Amino acid sequence: MNAMTTRTRSILRIQLHNLGPAAQETYEQALALLRDLTPLVQVLPPDAADLDVTGALRFFDRDIGGLAAMAALRLAAHFGLHTTIGAGPNRMLAAMAADTAATGHVTVVAPDPEAIAAFLNPKPVATLYGVGPATARTLGEYGLHRIGDLLNVPLLTLQRILGKATAVTLSQRARGLDPRPVTTEAAPKSTSCSYAFSHDELDPTAHRRALLDLCERLGLRLRTTGQVAVRLGLSISYADGSTTQRSRTLEEYTAHTPALRTAAYDLYARLGLQRARVRTITVRADLTDTQNAVQQLLLDPADDKRRRIEQAADRARARFGNQAIRPSSLAQQRRRPTPST
């Protein structure tokens, strides 16, 4: 099986930069502009989208690189946005191309097998879609450090290492295969909170304190609006203008601040930051209404007590203001967070 055995599509992954203070509004306006190029736009909040431009190439009489350049030009002209764009025959390759492109540039992976192999094979196995830190460590223990290394291992051997389903999936992806279509579902309802440091902050303790503040604010907002978080995302902007993002679907839909905090701390730890000069931290939650959530029964008196305390604190905040009750580590802060977006 090779990368040409499935129908070749033309996919763009567009990453938007510097959305500004009205980020959600600008993002939605940018999506509307992209839909002028193709109706097949999959939203990837808070600042990216996948486009299937297979049919648009003939309409605009351009190749995929030319259409990507047109999209970048229009976004810059209308909204002053910088973009990073990856292009390829499927969503995975387009996304990986975008990850390797410099801001303001377009990287194209041609649809022929040789070009796909030249693009994928030298890359670290951890960059392959679906390979998390644990899987990368397991593969590394067997000397499999590059994506191309997976192609040299018999599938049965890979199944003994990773299990049948994972081995088959990664074997296909290592060959550049990704059957996922671009879907045009509406963006999930979401909300976010941001914390901007007064200077480029290197201290991990200060980073975690900011995360605590963000989760306190986010949890209170969700509980007072009758919503719960389905998925939590973390975005960190650095002094050089670059941004790192991570997200995870929560095991239990929740508006419980300790659960949000645990998830946010885990996302932060997965980044493995080493003396990073952090400028802004944003926590985003994809939402659903409370009636769609089911709370797991933990039979844990301590958890029940924490929830009762949280309810009492919410009543105090409703009466005396959001700052009435705060964790002691936040009460000692002198810097104030930026307004939520």
Side-chain angles (χ1 to χ4, degrees):
M1 178 181 286
N2 61 50
M4 299 301 292
T5 59
T6 59
R7 183 184 177 189
T8 298
R9 310 295 297 176
S10 295
I11 309 296
L12 298 180
R13 164 64 62 87
I14 299 182
Q15 179 71 53
L16 307 171
H17 304 288
N18 305 321
L19 286 171
Q24 184 63 30
E25 180 180 355
T26 304
Y27 179 56
E28 291 174 357
Q29 291 173 345
L31 291 174
L33 184 149
L34 293 174
R35 291 188 182 102
D36 288 338
L37 299 179
T38 173
L40 299 177
V41 176
Q42 180 164 342
V43 295
L44 302 171
D47 53 11
D50 280 350
L51 283 67
D52 187 333
V53 295
T54 308
L57 299 181
R58 177 175 294 182
F59 180 84
F60 288 100
D61 193 25
R62 294 170 183 261
D63 61 17
I64 192 169
L67 196 61
M70 176 191 290
L73 181 61
R74 290 187 176 185
L75 290 167
H78 286 268
F79 308 113
L81 293 176
H82 297 294
T83 56
T84 301
I85 302 180
N90 57 52
R91 292 183 60 196
M92 180 191 76
L93 291 171
M96 293 180 68
D99 288 342
T100 62
T103 301
H105 289 75
V106 177
T107 297
V108 178
V109 180
D112 64 273
E114 290 184 2
I116 293 173
F119 175 75
L120 286 178
N121 290 359
K123 294 189 179 303
V125 71
T127 63
L128 187 63
Y129 177 71
V131 175
T135 301
R137 285 194 299 271
T138 299
L139 292 172
E141 292 171 357
Y142 289 88
L144 305 174
H145 302 287
R146 304 287 174 182
I147 294 176
D149 295 338
L150 298 178
L151 304 179
N152 299 322
V153 179
L155 181 58
L156 289 177
T157 301
L158 202 59
Q159 289 176 359
R160 285 195 291 270
I161 297 173
L162 299 176
K164 182 176 181 179
T166 301
V168 170
T169 299
L170 293 189
S171 179
Q172 291 176 343
R173 289 175 179 167
R175 290 167 170 78
L177 293 169
D178 179 17
R180 294 175 302 151
V182 170
T183 57
T184 56
E185 298 148 350
K189 187 166 54 173
S190 65
T191 187
S192 63
C193 299
S194 294
Y195 189 106
F197 293 99
S198 60
H199 60 279
D200 298 334
E201 183 60 73
L202 285 81
D203 185 3
T205 301
H207 300 165
R208 291 173 67 87
R209 189 182 299 122
L211 285 171
L212 173 59
D213 177 78
L214 293 171
C215 291
E216 286 284 329
R217 293 159 53 199
L218 181 62
L220 178 62
R221 181 186 301 175
L222 298 185
R223 293 190 298 274
T224 54
T225 56
Q227 298 175 309
V228 291
V230 174
R231 185 175 181 84
L232 203 67
L234 175 64
S235 177
I236 298 183
S237 299
Y238 306 99
D240 63 0
S242 62
T243 301
T244 302
Q245 299 175 4
R246 291 291 186 275
S247 62
R248 58 175 288 191
T249 300
L250 301 177
E251 295 181 2
E252 176 185 344
Y253 297 173
T254 186
H256 187 36
T257 293
L260 296 172
R261 181 183 65 235
T262 298
Y265 282 176
D266 179 65
L267 289 171
Y268 174 82
R270 289 171 181 267
L271 294 176
L273 302 182
Q274 299 292 329
R275 292 189 59 79
R277 297 166 58 198
V278 173
R279 184 165 294 173
T280 305
I281 298 178
T282 299
V283 174
R284 188 193 79 258
D286 294 339
L287 309 176
T288 189
D289 294 332
T290 302
Q291 59 263 31
N292 296 328
V294 177
Q295 179 182 337
Q296 296 181 12
L297 299 178
L298 302 179
L299 302 180
D300 181 0
D303 180 73
D304 184 59
K305 181 179 179 180
R306 284 191 295 269
R307 292 179 185 271
R308 292 201 307 270
I309 292 173
E310 186 174 69
Q311 292 169 359
D314 286 349
R315 290 193 294 269
R317 294 183 182 115
R319 183 173 181 180
F320 300 108
N322 291 350
Q323 304 298 313
I325 298 179
R326 289 166 62 79
S328 59
S329 60
L330 297 181
Q332 299 170 2
Q333 292 186 96
R334 295 183 179 179
R335 295 190 295 273
R336 293 182 65 81
T338 59
S340 308
T341 56

